[in-house]
Amino acid sequence: MGLIYYNGEYINDNIAISPDDRGYQFGDGIYEVVRVYEGRLFTAEAHFERLLRSASEIQIELASTVDDYIAICERLIAENRVQDGLIYVQVTRGIAKRNHIFPESTEPVTLIYSYDSARPVQGMEEGVKVITLEDIRWLRCDIKSLNLLGNVLAKQQAHIADAVEAVQVRDGIVTEGASSNVFIIKDGTLYTHPANHLILNGITRKVIKRCAEELNIPFVEQAFTPDALYDADEVIISSTSLEVTPVTQIDDQVMAIGPLTRKLQQAFKEKIYPAS
Ligand SMILES: *Cc1c(COP(=O)(O)O)cnc(C)c1O
């Protein structure tokens, strides 16, 4: 794994995790995944602003600023010689004898590491299969919480069905994937679920919104049904690691990759490589 940042230190070998870390016992913490392209961080400010927001929503007080996190990431990128990769960041509430109630005095525990990861070119080119299933998660999906059991169970069901993602449906409305946001294009308009407590407001989703605006594609934050998903002209899933990935199969139904998806992919690529 190369150099790792753990609890204020840069460590080169294995780190020791406390059995009393609340992240380990309760999933009591938050995380981010940040992209590195050609050795440079992509949309890192937005990711760390969201980390601070997630922390504040669950009443974890962080001493670090957005710039502090970026400085740590840049050191890891340099020392680990990351070109195309991802950075995983997690913060737990801290270490204390097991008890659901917040401990009186404990410091948050921060872990940051980097790893190599190529762009998902095959999925972006050829499209991927998704399945639909019931959204069984809690009602604060806007927090990027370490508690991912609902997401893990959904993703495993997708995996068993040879699909890349599980598109979740709550009360007859498509919310989002297990680790991605979901968009449909119908009659030239791009639709996605509003950024409320039922979805995680993706940074990639925000970049896609900007791309759509630049391309004069109407972007409407309006929930849609599974029927509208099946009936869409084009379907996209997005995340830091998936970028703009077209969906070519939903359950048993085959979908085509359309021209607006290709335009959004191109516009997204120009954000990654602004010089080219
Ligand atoms: C992280 C995540 C996303 C995508 O967010 P990005 O910032 O684009 O990576 C979407 N949904 C869920 C549930 C997530 O955890």
Side-chain angles (χ1 to χ4, degrees):
M1 221 185 263
L3 194 69
I4 296 170
Y5 176 89
Y6 184 65
N7 243 354
E9 287 180 77
Y10 292 88
I11 302 171
N12 234 318
D13 13 69
N14 287 336
I15 54 169
I17 309 279
S18 167
D20 283 331
D21 190 306
R22 292 177 64 93
Y24 187 55
Q25 296 188 341
F26 297 111
D28 186 358
I30 50 167
Y31 77 106
E32 281 294 327
V33 180
V34 188
R35 248 291 175 200
V36 180
Y37 294 118
E38 296 184 325
R40 282 177 294 115
L41 288 164
F42 183 66
T43 59
E45 291 84 3
H47 280 279
F48 289 115
E49 277 161 16
R50 187 172 67 188
L51 183 81
L52 298 185
R53 178 191 179 273
S54 292
S56 144
E57 289 299 312
I58 65 167
Q59 298 160 62
I60 289 180
E61 276 177 42
L62 296 180
S64 304
T65 64
V66 167
D67 286 345
D68 294 335
Y69 289 111
I70 288 177
I72 296 166
C73 291
E74 282 176 345
R75 177 154 170 200
L76 294 180
I77 290 169
E79 301 228 7
N80 294 330
R81 298 175 199 281
V82 182
Q83 281 299 306
D84 284 340
L86 292 164
I87 297 185
Y88 178 75
V89 181
Q90 76 163 43
V91 180
T92 74
R93 192 177 306 281
I95 298 166
K97 185 170 175 295
R98 188 178 184 282
N99 180 352
H100 290 62
I101 297 160
F102 294 176
E104 290 273 311
S105 64
T106 184
E107 294 296 312
V109 175
T110 305
L111 167 69
I112 307 182
Y113 61 80
S114 64
Y115 54 103
D116 294 335
S117 177
R119 295 183 63 211
V121 277
Q122 191 183 350
M124 287 195 294
E125 211 36 60
E126 297 170 12
V128 298
K129 177 184 174 182
V130 302
I131 59 165
T132 58
L133 48 64
E134 194 191 341
D135 193 340
I136 62 165
R137 299 173 303 160
W138 71 330
L139 296 173
R140 288 305 306 274
C141 296
D142 57 307
I143 299 168
K144 211 162 172 73
S145 158
L146 289 181
N147 252 291
L148 288 172
L149 200 44
N151 311 59
V152 165
L153 294 176
K155 195 72 115 180
Q156 178 63 16
Q157 238 177 285
H159 173 69
I160 284 168
D162 264 330
V164 160
E165 184 56 297
V167 171
Q168 301 170 102
V169 179
R170 194 194 289 272
D171 299 331
I173 291 292
V174 173
T175 53
E176 63 173 337
S179 61
S180 63
N181 294 114
V182 179
F183 304 74
I184 61 172
I185 296 168
K186 185 68 182 173
D187 299 330
T189 296
L190 187 60
Y191 296 88
T192 195
H193 195 287
N196 60 17
H197 63 292
L198 297 179
I199 70 157
L200 194 280
N201 189 2
I203 307 301
T204 318
R205 178 185 181 280
K206 286 186 196 168
V207 176
I208 290 172
K209 180 179 184 178
R210 216 178 317 136
C211 291
E213 282 162 5
E214 288 165 13
L215 292 165
N216 289 316
I217 300 170
F219 182 92
V220 179
E221 298 183 55
Q222 183 182 297
F224 49 85
T225 63
D227 281 346
L229 180 72
Y230 290 122
D231 193 41
D233 299 326
E234 308 177 37
V235 176
I236 295 168
I237 54 176
S238 81
S239 74
T240 294
S241 53
L242 289 170
E243 299 182 15
V244 180
T245 289
V247 171
T248 45
Q249 189 176 339
I250 308 165
D251 299 321
D252 292 329
Q253 182 177 309
V254 173
M255 308 288 297
I257 304 176
L260 295 188
T261 298
R262 293 303 187 202
K263 280 191 181 172
L264 288 165
Q265 287 180 321
Q266 183 57 34
F268 193 90
K269 194 173 170 187
E270 285 162 18
K271 303 259 181 254
I272 299 174
Y273 308 113
S276 63

